Amino acid sequence: MTILITGGTGFVGQTLVKRLCQLPVRLATRRDSFGWEKILGGINTVVHLAARVHVIHDSSADPLTAFRMVNLSGTMNLARQAAAAGVKRFIFISSVKVNGESTQPGRAFTEADAPNPQDAYGQSKFEAEQGLRQLSADTGMAVVIIRPPLVYGPGVKANFAALMHAVQRGWPLPLGAVHNQRSLVALDNLVDFIVTCITHPQAANQTFLVSDGQDLSTTELVRGMAQAAGVPVRLVPVPVWALQTGASLLGKGDIVQRLCGDLQVDISKAHSLLGWVPPVSVEEGLRRTMAV
């Protein structure tokens, strides 16, 4: 079995390639996207990681068109050529943003929930999912859709990295009274789940949410980061309403929403259908992340 990985040099891709080192793996490059015929020869499974990723402040004049160009059109171009080349399984890394931006307390997202993307990135991923399901129905190529929440691990960037650096430097953080619940997924857990979906027969033509299986408040996350880094935690218990008010005045309301809001996913389908259990605990995932 030969596996084609797109985005193999990225945050998730590098770890996936290392995990699959005992199998024949072929990595796609950007120039392959202009014509996939040669590289798809002899491929059994495609893992499509490459994407235009979500950013907090998108500078594009037309974000939806920009996201669709890569995440929808690029995905479908590859998938159609994969089906024509006889690829048996196409694994698409989507996003929890297809489900929505937040959950109500005690009401985690499930795969059965109606999609509710709220931004251009989530919309482009949702449209790609729809296209892939139709292509699967038309061609018989099995499609597996994986929707991870925030992925953390060695090399993580963006807001998670900024929070890490603040904790490592011992800066006081006004996050000591945030009692939300958020699902995260350690890089090694996501990679393990992708590997499971490559071979498990029951994964075919299914959509999965994936996480560490242990949700955290932002306060608990910061404490866990500090413990993993071996530094004292400095948390100031500022009320959430005060954080939200201050952030709104500074135009940072979206960041505070991610820090203070709930976003939980239910991974019971992955467990019941595939027998999958996250192999890495939150504590170990944070230790690996903070050790870099």
Side-chain angles (χ1 to χ4, degrees), residues 33-47:
S33 63
F34 294 101
W36 295 99
E37 296 88 351
K38 292 182 180 179
I39 198 170
L40 283 167
I43 296 295
N44 178 273
T45 301
V46 172
V47 179

Side-chain angles (χ1 to χ4, degrees), residues 80-96:
R80 291 188 191 99
Q81 293 188 53
V87 169
K88 301 301 182 185
R89 184 169 295 194
F90 190 99
I91 299 176
F92 178 59
I93 309 305
S94 185
S95 169
V96 72

Side-chain angles (χ1 to χ4, degrees), residues 123-164:
Q123 182 65 28
S124 69
K125 287 289 192 178
F126 172 49
E127 291 173 3
E129 288 186 9
Q130 291 178 301
L132 289 170
R133 291 190 188 98
Q134 185 59 56
L135 181 67
S136 177
D138 294 341
T139 66
M141 180 178 70
V143 166
V144 184
I145 294 167
I146 300 173
R147 296 177 185 164
L150 188 150
V151 184
Y152 67 96
V156 67
K157 300 184 185 302
N159 289 335
F160 198 96
L163 186 59
M164 278 177 51

Side-chain angles (χ1 to χ4, degrees), residues 98-286:
V98 172
N99 285 77
E101 294 292 329
S102 63
T103 54
Q104 296 300 312
R107 173 66 174 88
F109 283 136
T110 74
E111 296 86 353
D113 291 334
N116 186 30
Q118 298 291 304
D119 63 9
Y121 172 74
Q123 182 65 28
S124 69
K125 287 289 192 178
F126 172 49
E127 291 173 3
E129 288 186 9
Q130 291 178 301
L132 289 170
R133 291 190 188 98
Q134 185 59 56
L135 181 67
S136 177
D138 294 341
T139 66
M141 180 178 70
V143 166
V144 184
I145 294 167
I146 300 173
R147 296 177 185 164
L150 188 150
V151 184
Y152 67 96
V156 67
K157 300 184 185 302
N159 289 335
F160 198 96
L163 186 59
M164 278 177 51
H165 295 154
V167 171
Q168 289 167 330
R169 287 167 173 78
W171 294 347
L173 296 170
L175 302 172
V178 184
H179 305 300
N180 60 342
Q181 288 289 288
R182 294 191 77 85
S183 298
L184 309 173
V185 62
L187 176 60
D188 289 324
N189 283 338
L190 176 58
V191 165
D192 187 80
F193 188 70
I194 294 170
V195 172
T196 299
C197 289
I198 288 173
T199 58
H200 201 298
Q202 295 303 313
N205 299 315
Q206 297 291 336
T207 298
F208 296 101
L209 291 162
V210 61
S211 80
D212 290 334
Q214 178 186 343
D215 299 340
L216 300 173
S217 69
T218 299
T219 300
E220 291 168 333
L221 174 61
V222 172
R223 286 178 177 151
M225 285 178 165
Q227 182 176 1
V231 299
V233 63
R234 293 184 170 88
L235 284 165
V236 181
V238 176
V240 170
W241 66 264
L243 289 173
Q244 292 171 332
T245 300
S248 296
L249 292 173
L250 295 172
K252 304 290 186 181
D254 50 354
I255 295 177
V256 169
Q257 165 56 31
R258 288 171 174 80
L259 286 171
C260 299
D262 291 318
L263 197 160
Q264 296 178 272
V265 303
D266 183 341
I267 62 169
S268 58
K269 178 179 177 180
H271 177 67
S272 61
L273 192 62
L274 307 183
W276 184 77
V277 176
V280 175
S281 68
V282 171
E283 292 76 15
E284 176 62 16
L286 289 175

